[in-house]
Amino acid sequence: MKTKEDIVANWLPRYTGEKLENFGSHILLTNFSNYVNMFAQQNDATIVGMDRPMQCCTAGDITIINFGMGSPGAATVMDLLSAIMPKAVLFLGKCGGLKKKNSIGDLILPIAAIRGEGTSNDYFPPEVPALPAFALQKAISTTIREYGCDYWTGTCYSTNRRVWEHDSDFKKYLELIRVMAIDMETATIFSVGFYNKIPTGALLLVSDQPMVPEGVKTEESDKKVTKEYVERHLKIGVDSLQNLIHNHQTVKHLLF
């Protein structure tokens, strides 16, 4: 295998257990297995790759993939998806809300992401911004409003650092740069998607409030978020892609 095309065409099935021809043209990304399980149950579909690093499930023209946690995994799945060049990729992620006005269960539609994770530096110089496909974010916005929900817009800071909630200096830095949310993958997905000419977007669910000690995520609090908000999060993501499919809309940049 001498070319990138050869590698990703071999590795996407190797990582997921799914044949290239069985993937939908629209992709949902998650880093939680329960999203895949819920998608499968809602669509009476079969989960593929239970013995592989990335489980997936396809219903109609939509495939959901659990790529695991962290920016290296996010970069890997976005590179592998270049084997099928999907029409749209939507990341359904959880994030920490960094503003006092954020509440658990809120939706954040990021208009940009700050590349604090480092992984994206292998794809672009640091000054290149991490941006979603505008038309995809617009489609998600429309779907959210159809659900009668509100959402926040703003910037997401993506970091490779998982345990930082104790670090007061880092918290001051987050306040200084005025970000709305923090996660580990959004900036990587935007950057590597742009690198591979794949339209990408994200809809983030506020699952914790890490700027205050009582808001740090615990097993108990995460179970509550899953019970109360994950189904709506997933449904909005699915319906956003379904609307694109049914309306034959393209979300690809006019020029890459």
Side-chain angles (χ1 to χ4, degrees):
M1 296 192 291
K2 293 183 178 181
T3 67
K4 178 182 177 181
E5 290 76 14
D6 291 337
I7 294 171
V8 297
N10 181 275
W11 285 13
L12 182 57
R14 182 165 75 89
Y15 273 65
T16 63
E18 185 60 277
K19 296 179 180 179
L20 294 180
E21 59 267 26
N22 292 338
F23 283 90
S25 65
H26 293 67
I27 304 294
L28 287 173
L29 293 181
T30 180
N31 26 45
F32 299 97
S33 59
N34 56 354
Y35 278 71
V36 180
N37 294 337
M38 191 175 295
F39 180 87
Q41 292 168 4
Q42 291 172 355
N43 293 281
D44 193 23
T46 302
I47 299 174
V48 177
M50 296 300 291
D51 59 339
R52 306 296 177 99
M54 299 179 182
Q55 303 78 47
C56 68
C57 180
T58 300
D61 209 18
I62 298 176
T63 297
I64 188 169
I65 302 173
N66 172 23
F67 65 88
M69 184 177 71
S71 59
T76 299
V77 73
M78 290 307 302
D79 273 336
L80 298 184
L81 285 173
S82 66
I84 59 171
M85 293 303 292
K87 294 180 179 178
V89 174
L90 171 55
F91 174 47
L92 298 177
K94 293 180 181 178
C95 68
L98 301 180
K99 302 291 188 181
K100 292 180 180 179
K101 60 186 177 183
N102 294 144
S103 299
I104 301 298
D106 281 359
L107 297 171
I108 295 180
L109 194 61
I111 57 175
I114 295 177
R115 297 165 51 196
E117 22 70 78
T119 303
S120 57
N121 291 341
D122 289 327
Y123 297 84
F124 288 111
E127 62 269 22
V128 177
L131 302 174
F134 173 79
L136 179 50
Q137 297 301 84
K138 182 180 178 183
I140 301 165
S141 170
T142 300
T143 304
I144 295 172
R145 300 314 296 265
E146 289 173 351
Y147 271 75
C149 302
D150 287 320
Y151 61 90
W152 302 102
T153 60
T155 305
C156 176
Y157 184 89
S158 295
T159 177
N160 267 340
R161 187 179 181 190
R162 184 59 193 92
V163 181
W164 56 265
E165 288 83 353
H166 60 92
D167 189 334
S168 58
D169 289 337
F170 184 60
K171 289 182 180 180
K172 290 177 182 177
Y173 169 70
L174 294 175
E175 291 176 348
L176 180 66
I177 60 176
R178 301 191 178 186
V179 286
M180 178 74 68
I182 185 168
D183 81 341
M184 302 182 73
E185 299 91 9
T186 297
T188 312
I189 289 171
F190 288 173
S191 296
V192 184
F194 185 64
Y195 181 86
N196 287 309
K197 301 182 180 181
I198 299 172
T200 60
L203 178 61
L204 305 179
L205 172 66
V206 176
S207 60
D208 55 308
Q209 297 168 304
M211 298 297 275
V212 293
E214 60 272 20
V216 176
K217 186 184 295 186
T218 63
E219 182 175 4
E220 182 179 355
S221 69
D222 190 52
K223 286 182 179 178
K224 183 177 180 181
V225 169
T226 298
K227 181 180 179 181
E228 296 183 8
Y229 302 111
V230 163
E231 184 175 6
R232 182 191 65 175
H233 190 206
L234 176 61
K235 285 184 175 180
I236 291 174
V238 170
D239 285 353
S240 296
L241 295 186
Q242 290 285 17
N243 287 338
L244 292 175
I245 294 168
H246 293 157
N247 295 326
H248 304 286
Q249 289 178 273
T250 177
V251 293
K252 192 165 187 175
H253 296 284
L254 295 179
L255 292 175
F256 268 96

